[in-house]
Amino acid sequence: DEIVKNILEEIKKDSELIDITISCLFEKCILQKSYMSCYIQILQTLDELYKIKEKIQKQVTVYTQLFQKMQDETVEEKYKQQYVFLCETNKLTDNYICFCETIYHLEEKQLIKQMYDQMIQTFLNKMDSCLQEDPPNTKDIYKYLSCMENIYLQKKSCPLKIKQHLKQIQSKLKDKKIIFKIMDIVELNESVL
């Protein structure tokens, strides 16, 4: 509450701080998952006062393009050492997972619209593409499954259509890590009941 109060006071002094604040809060959602709900709550408060949904949508677009560009580039070209490559890849994956969860929460709080379903469909399409590679790109499949799992854990359910698609993916792979990740998602509804 004190932080929100301070933010609002600073914005009252200088309204140009709204854009900077939105950008910072959005980045914090991605980098500090444990405080994501607090940051989103601050964004909600700002939206109530300053109608910032359009600005939030711009941030989503910027980060979507950024993550897409980073995924399209080969991180290996930038980092020659194996350890650095592994760390950068894992960091990018973790940040992408938090970005996807942020999208889910922003839409849940009605700060953005029509991104969540589109994002899930993109994951499914990308996993299908990964299956077409020889050998299948299991690293990316696992990343997209982790994003989906985080979202469905929040929702406490996974739609039947998605479950069916995931089972199709599962039937085409032998990687135990992926099989168990899919089972975790598919069985989510049953464990809640």
Side-chain angles (χ1 to χ4, degrees):
D1 290 340
E2 190 64 32
I3 292 173
V4 172
K5 181 181 174 186
N6 290 339
I7 290 172
L8 293 175
E9 286 176 7
E10 292 301 315
I11 289 175
K12 283 179 185 176
K13 292 177 191 174
D14 183 1
S15 63
E16 291 183 18
L17 290 176
I18 292 174
D19 289 341
I20 295 168
T21 303
I22 293 167
S23 178
C24 289
L25 288 169
F26 200 86
E27 184 175 330
K28 296 281 187 192
C29 283
I30 295 168
L31 299 176
Q32 298 176 350
K33 179 182 175 175
S34 55
Y35 298 108
M36 183 186 296
S37 61
C38 296
Y39 298 135
I40 289 177
Q41 186 177 2
I42 295 170
L43 285 168
Q44 279 185 283
T45 301
L46 287 172
D47 183 54
E48 289 168 9
L49 296 170
Y50 298 103
K51 308 297 181 220
I52 61 166
K53 287 179 182 159
E54 188 175 309
K55 294 175 186 287
I56 292 172
Q57 183 62 51
K58 284 181 184 175
Q59 283 297 309
V60 169
T61 302
V62 166
Y63 274 88
T64 299
Q65 291 169 351
L66 176 69
F67 278 112
Q68 185 61 48
K69 182 179 177 191
M70 291 171 81
Q71 288 171 5
D72 290 344
E73 290 179 8
T74 306
V75 178
E76 200 167 12
E77 292 172 14
K78 293 181 180 178
Y79 303 99
K80 301 294 180 194
Q81 299 173 354
Q82 201 99 30
Y83 180 76
V84 174
F85 170 69
L86 180 64
C87 291
E88 287 299 315
T89 300
N90 288 340
K91 180 180 174 185
L92 176 62
T93 299
D94 290 344
N95 288 347
Y96 187 68
I97 290 168
C98 287
F99 167 72
C100 295
E101 190 174 334
T102 300
I103 296 296
Y104 166 74
H105 286 295
L106 288 170
E107 189 163 323
E108 179 185 50
K109 302 293 183 184
Q110 300 178 346
L111 292 169
I112 61 172
K113 293 180 182 176
Q114 300 176 348
M115 291 286 300
Y116 161 74
D117 287 333
Q118 179 183 359
M119 183 175 61
I120 295 295
Q121 189 57 53
T122 299
F123 295 157
L124 294 173
N125 293 342
K126 287 187 178 202
M127 285 189 285
D128 289 340
S129 293
C130 289
L131 287 172
Q132 302 304 315
E133 295 178 26
D134 188 24
N137 182 345
T138 55
K139 180 184 67 122
D140 282 352
I141 291 173
Y142 188 81
K143 174 179 66 178
Y144 297 126
L145 286 170
S146 295
C147 292
M148 292 175 75
E149 181 183 39
N150 274 10
I151 291 168
Y152 291 133
L153 281 171
Q154 299 291 320
K155 288 182 66 119
K156 298 184 173 93
S157 66
C158 176
L160 180 60
K161 182 180 175 183
I162 304 297
K163 284 183 179 185
Q164 291 168 341
H165 196 122
L166 291 176
K167 286 180 181 179
Q168 289 174 351
I169 292 170
Q170 180 182 358
S171 70
K172 296 176 184 176
L173 292 168
K174 295 187 180 345
D175 185 299
K176 296 291 185 201
K177 187 176 176 183
I178 290 177
I179 290 171
F180 288 125
K181 180 67 76 178
I182 290 174
M183 288 171 61
D184 287 344
I185 296 169
V186 168
E187 295 173 356
L188 183 63
N189 295 46
E190 295 152 17
S191 66
V192 172
L193 299 174

